[in-house]
């Protein structure tokens, strides 16, 4: 197999030939068909997340076809198309697993971070954490659903039932979630970097009722806001934009420091919380819903060998929607 490997933090990935691995107990091996590029991959490369496995093959939005099955795997066959997400393994026994919050497991493994991921021609996964995908939809249009889509979905559920939703940062996740929110009959207000008219027009083309700069006040108070961009300074801005009792959800795994702000922004029962990882139920719920919504995923495709370019383009905001690697 070939993979784009991160040997040292803050260095480019290197195309590497590796021996083919056999799946162990409860594992499957897939031939990778497509792997999405997520902002979390940048945080991994940049060393912004604690305790990565090194060397590591990044990538946690994997669409693959099973070509080998280990002992004990139930309900998955060779030839089946599956999705492999960020949550790669849990212990199943810690207090969080037992309270149906496996996203907070004390002993998890995360694909592309603490176990090898999908920037490769092949990947091995714990079968119990992979999702059957069926055959509808192209590999590259499904890949971004596996993190941007389903962790975004978790954030949307946690944001509550309000009709007026603000999205701060309009990248891969927001462009998917805007379509979900519209399908639910809600109104999306899109906040981008100041002066980013192109992304604001993109947001409106996906049904946003308003688009502006992140330091603009929306035309009306919002019921909730989701912050997708890794920018702590957005927290007080989003709190200012939500109504009394409104909720602000931080959806990213990493954020720059949140600046101090007056208590009056939180007062009147506004809530501020974060979303961490996903549960398998989030994935099953979202992947069941996605075909009914008819989500159009905008992708920019790169060959596997150009993974460094894809990451650089993501960092610089050079594409709309999501980047996808194909082997
Ligand atoms: Zn656990
Ligand atoms: Zn991700």
């Amino acid at each position: 197999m070939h993979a784009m490997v991160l040997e040292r933090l803050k260095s480019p990935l290197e195309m590497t030939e590796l021996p083919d691995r056999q799946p162990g107990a409860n594992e499957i091996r897939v031939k990778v068909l497509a792997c999405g590029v997520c902002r979390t991959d940048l945080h991994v490369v940049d060393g912004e997340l604690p305790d990565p496995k090194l060397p590591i093959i990044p990538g946690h939005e994997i669409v693959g076809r099973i070509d080998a099955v280990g002992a004990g795997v139930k309900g998955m066959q060779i030839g089946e198309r599956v999705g492999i997400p960020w949550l790669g393994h849990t212990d199943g026994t810690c207090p969080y697993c037992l309270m149906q919050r496996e996203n907070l497991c004390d002993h998890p493994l995360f694909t592309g971070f603490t176990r090898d991921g999908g920037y490769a021609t092949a990947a091995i996964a714990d079968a119990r954490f992979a999702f059957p995908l069926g055959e509808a939809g192209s590999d590259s249009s499904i890949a971004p659903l596996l993190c941007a889509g389903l962790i975004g979905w978790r954030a949307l559920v946690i944001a509550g039932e309000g009709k007026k939703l603000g999205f701060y940062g309009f990248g891969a996740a927001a462009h998917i979630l805007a379509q979900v929110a519209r399908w639910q009959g809600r109104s999306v207000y899109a906040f981008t970097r100041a002066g980013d008219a192109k992304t604001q027009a993109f947001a409106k083309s996906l049904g946003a009722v308003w688009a502006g700069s992140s330091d603009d006040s929306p035309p009306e108070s919002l019921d909730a806001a989701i912050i997708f961009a890794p920018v702590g300074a957005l927290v007080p801005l989003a709190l200012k934009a939500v109504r009394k009792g409104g909720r602000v959800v931080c959806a990213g795994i990493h954020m720059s420091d949140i600046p101090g702000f007056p208590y009056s922004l939180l007062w009147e029962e506004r809530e501020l919380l974060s979303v961490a990882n996903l549960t398998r139920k989030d994935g099953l719920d979202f992947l069941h819903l996605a075909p009914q919504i008819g989500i159009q995923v905008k992708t920019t495709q790169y060959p596997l060998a150009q993974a460094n370019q894809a990451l650089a383009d993501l960092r610089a905001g050079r594409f709309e929607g999501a980047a996808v690697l194909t082997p």
Side-chain angles (χ1 to χ4, degrees):
M1 64 175 277
H2 285 84
M4 291 296 284
V5 178
L6 180 71
E7 292 281 346
R8 289 175 312 283
L9 299 177
K10 301 180 188 175
S11 66
L13 309 181
E14 291 169 33
M15 181 60 92
T16 308
E17 185 168 3
L18 298 164
D20 286 336
R21 274 189 54 211
Q22 294 302 317
N26 297 312
E27 289 182 332
I28 49 173
R29 187 179 71 197
V30 301
K31 179 182 187 304
V32 176
L33 304 170
C35 185
V37 176
C38 175
R39 182 165 292 280
T40 297
D41 303 338
L42 279 180
H43 298 314
V44 170
V45 170
D46 291 347
E48 288 167 331
L49 306 182
D51 305 322
K53 173 182 104 67
L54 284 175
I56 183 78
I57 304 170
H60 56 270
E61 296 178 317
I62 307 170
V63 175
R65 199 168 288 284
I66 298 174
D67 72 352
V69 172
V73 171
K74 293 192 189 75
M76 286 197 165
Q77 317 292 336
I78 287 178
E80 190 173 354
R81 189 170 70 157
V82 295
I84 299 167
W86 169 249
L87 187 70
H89 179 80
T90 61
D91 58 14
T93 56
C94 77
Y96 298 97
C97 285
L98 295 179
M99 65 171 93
Q100 276 71 55
R101 298 182 77 177
E102 65 179 359
N103 59 310
L104 302 178
C105 178
D106 281 335
H107 304 101
L109 289 174
F110 295 115
T111 310
F113 178 43
T114 53
R115 69 178 292 164
D116 281 330
Y119 285 19
T121 55
I124 293 206
D126 184 325
R128 298 164 295 189
F129 292 81
F131 301 114
L133 292 178
E135 295 298 328
S138 74
D139 304 326
S140 53
S141 68
I142 292 173
L145 300 182
L146 290 163
C147 180
L150 59 84
I151 295 185
W153 167 252
R154 182 175 178 84
L156 189 66
V157 171
I158 287 178
E161 304 277 311
K163 292 287 181 204
K164 289 177 228 158
L165 288 173
F167 288 175
Y168 285 79
F170 206 87
H175 105 284
I176 293 169
L177 271 294
Q179 299 174 63
V180 178
R182 187 185 179 192
W183 179 80
Q184 293 174 322
R186 309 209 241 182
S187 300
V188 169
Y189 297 73
F191 297 82
T192 73
R193 281 177 227 191
D196 188 352
K198 194 161 168 253
T199 304
Q200 291 168 12
F202 180 52
K204 284 188 172 165
S205 77
L206 293 173
V209 297
W210 176 90
S213 301
S214 51
D215 50 4
D216 286 345
S217 292
E220 40 209 339
S221 281
L222 306 176
D223 296 313
I226 303 176
I227 302 176
F228 294 106
V231 180
L234 294 173
V235 169
L237 292 171
L239 282 169
K240 202 184 281 183
V242 300
R243 61 165 169 78
K244 290 184 277 189
R247 190 175 287 177
V248 173
V249 179
C250 301
I253 193 169
H254 174 82
M255 199 179 237
S256 55
D257 286 353
I258 300 171
F261 56 87
Y263 176 59
S264 59
L265 293 183
L266 189 62
W267 167 241
E268 295 168 326
E269 301 195 349
R270 290 175 182 84
E271 295 175 282
L272 173 63
L273 67 170
S274 67
V275 159
N277 312 316
L278 68 139
T279 65
R280 282 172 281 183
K281 183 177 183 305
D282 296 326
L284 292 170
D285 288 351
F286 179 69
L287 292 170
H288 175 70
L289 213 54
Q292 301 173 41
I293 300 169
I295 297 168
Q296 300 295 312
V297 180
K298 178 154 188 192
T299 60
T300 301
Q301 296 189 37
Y302 298 80
L304 176 60
Q306 287 178 23
N308 289 310
Q309 187 62 51
L311 288 168
D313 290 350
L314 173 60
R315 193 187 295 283
R318 279 193 283 260
F319 55 78
E320 289 170 346
V324 176
L325 302 178
T326 48

